[in-house]
Every structure is written in C-alpha cells, then in structure tokens.
Amino acid sequence: MVVSARASASHRDARRRPLGRLSRLVREVVTGAALVPRGFALWRRRPAVMALGMVPAFIAAALIAAVLIGLGLSVDALATAVTPFAESWAERDRTVMRTLLALVIVAGAIIGTMYIFTTLTLLIGDPFYERIWRAAERELGDFTPSPVRFWRSFGDALLLVLRAMGFALITGIVGLIPVVGSVTAAVLGPVLAGHLIARELTTRAFEARGITAADRARLLRGSRARELGFGVATQLFFLIPGGAIAVMPAAVVGATHLARSVLERAAAAAGETGVEKTP
C-alpha cells in the first residue's frame, strides 16, 4: 500500500515537472517583455535625452522607406533585367515567371527590412543611446558608468552586420519551405531579430563593467528566455505605426534593466553578495 502511494506521488511529481518548467519559461519571457514598457518611465524624468534617442530610428526608417518605395516602383523592371533568357519564352510563361520573381524580391525585401532597420538604428544610434544608457544607470544607482567607446569599433560594426545578414538569410530560406515556411518565418524573424537587438543593447552595460564578449554571451545564455522576451517585445513594437521610432529609447533603458537582472542572477547562482539590485 505504501509502495503504491509512493509510486502515485512520484507519478504526479513527474507530470508536474514539465508544467513547472513551462511555467518558469513563460514567467521569464513575460518578465523580459515587461522591461520594454518599463523603459518608457524615463520619458517622464529625462524627456530631452529620450527624445534625442528617437533620431537614429527616424533616420533609419526614412532611409528604408525610400529604398522600399524605390524597389516597389522598379521591381518589374528589375525582374525583367535579371531574366533576359526568358525573352524567347511564350508570353504567358514569361509573365508568370517574372511575376513570381518580383514577389520573391518583394518578400525578401520585407524580411530583410526587419534586420536592416535594427542594424542601421544600432549603428547610427551608438552615441545617442550611450547618453540614454548613462541616464538609466544614474537613475538605477549603485554603479558609476566608466568611459566607453564613443562609437562602436569597425570590428563590432562588421560583426553586427554579418549577424544580421546571417539571420536574414536563415529567415528567408525558412520562408521558402512549402506550406509551413511563411508561418515559421513570421515567427522566426522576430525571435532572431529580438535576440540581435537584446544582445547589442546590453553590450554597453556589460562592457562598462569590464565583462568580455565571451562572458556576455555566457551570461545571456543563462537568461535566454528573459532576453528573448525583451527582444521579441521590442520587435513587436516595430509593427505599430511609428512604434519603431518611439520604442528604441525605451528599449535602451529596458536593456539596462535586463543587463542588471542577468548580473544579479549570475551573482546569486555563484553565491556572491554586494551586486547592485534592480529597483
């Protein structure tokens, strides 16, 4: 009887463990996502600094809009230019093939826009976002920001561009998978772009604390769900008209909170004390 009761309790525990893990995962994602609206609070106290942070996103959005408009006006001519071999085809076959090619070009441009906007905004906005980060660190207290590079190095910029190109390529290839590709790419795109923006926006807070790139990657792996919650929430704001411009300053503040929470978790796991706490 006792054995049966123990077996039953063990079976219940085995069923609860996956639910517990799922619950913790969801909680971490929600906690990360909540850091984005939390970042908007700095608008009340430092409106001038936050407003300045909208400039890079506005410039990036204007450049991308100009490119997309130009592409939309010339996509038919572009499809014709890259398919000279189709001139000898029957008119119907030639039209179908060039229409499909034009659709692929437009779809590729739309997928690429997500990564191009993020990359351009981060590259243009480095000095602007440093001011917001410093204001956020002062607001949170318990840390005096040390001098960091005025602008990201060429190597960092190159790595950022390469990562964005790699993620865009992966998303584009997945989107070509029959039946499920478009839906999968629609989910994968914000996840990869969210990872990219979370990684880049937390870099400054980690660098100022003397944390190397390898250690930054290790720290973020320990809080992957929270990092993705923050990054995906930031990307979802981009879907709101004008949201991409308004959210970037708040995302910088949210990334400062994220970096601190990641450091707190690592310190707690290591049994350390005296690490600054996020209010």
Side-chain angles (χ1 to χ4, degrees), residues 6-278:
R6 288 177 177 173
S8 177
S10 177
H11 182 63
R12 285 197 301 271
D13 290 342
R15 286 186 300 177
R16 288 171 182 167
R17 277 194 291 270
L19 291 176
R21 285 194 293 267
L22 179 60
S23 176
R24 286 193 297 273
L25 177 65
V26 172
R27 189 162 55 247
E28 281 292 293
V29 170
V30 171
T31 299
L35 295 176
V36 182
R38 187 176 180 182
F40 281 100
L42 196 61
W43 273 100
R44 296 195 304 269
R45 298 183 292 275
R46 301 296 299 274
V49 173
M50 294 292 278
L52 191 64
M54 297 174 65
V55 174
F58 180 81
I59 294 172
L63 290 173
I64 290 173
V67 171
L68 288 178
I69 291 172
L71 180 63
L73 295 174
S74 61
V75 67
D76 290 336
L78 180 59
T80 300
V82 299
T83 56
F85 54 86
E87 291 299 330
S88 59
W89 294 10
E91 182 178 353
R92 186 187 64 180
D93 295 339
R94 182 172 63 247
T95 301
V96 169
M97 194 274 289
R98 286 176 173 169
T99 300
L100 290 175
L101 178 59
L103 290 175
V104 169
I105 293 172
V106 171
I110 293 172
I111 291 172
T113 294
M114 185 184 308
Y115 299 101
I116 294 170
F117 174 80
T118 300
T119 305
L120 267 179
T121 303
L122 291 171
L123 290 174
I124 297 169
D126 204 42
F128 297 88
Y129 298 150
E130 182 179 342
R131 294 187 63 180
I132 297 174
W133 162 72
R134 288 184 179 279
E137 291 282 14
R138 284 192 291 269
E139 286 274 332
L140 294 172
D142 296 326
F143 177 73
T144 302
S146 59
V148 294
R149 295 165 299 175
F150 175 73
W151 209 293
R152 66 177 59 245
S153 68
F154 175 78
D156 286 345
L158 181 60
L159 284 175
L160 173 60
V161 171
L162 290 176
R163 285 194 192 100
M165 290 173 62
F167 288 164
L169 181 62
I170 291 170
T171 306
I173 291 173
V174 169
L176 296 176
I177 299 174
V179 183
V180 298
S182 57
V183 175
T184 304
V187 174
L188 183 63
V191 169
L192 291 179
H195 168 67
L196 180 70
I197 199 167
R199 177 190 176 103
E200 293 301 319
L201 288 181
T202 54
T203 294
R204 189 174 287 104
F206 287 137
E207 278 188 346
R209 290 166 169 83
I211 299 173
T212 65
D215 287 337
R216 292 198 301 269
R218 177 180 54 78
L219 286 167
L220 289 173
R221 277 198 302 271
S223 299
R224 183 67 77 203
R226 186 173 296 193
E227 177 216 31
L228 288 177
F230 167 78
V232 172
T234 301
Q235 290 295 320
L236 292 179
F237 269 98
F238 290 178
L239 301 179
I240 303 171
I245 297 172
V247 78
M248 284 303 294
V252 175
V253 180
T256 307
H257 285 280
L258 175 63
R260 287 190 171 217
S261 70
V262 167
L263 289 170
E264 288 173 16
R265 170 173 291 178
E272 297 174 2
T273 57
V275 176
E276 66 268 16
K277 300 295 182 182
T278 304

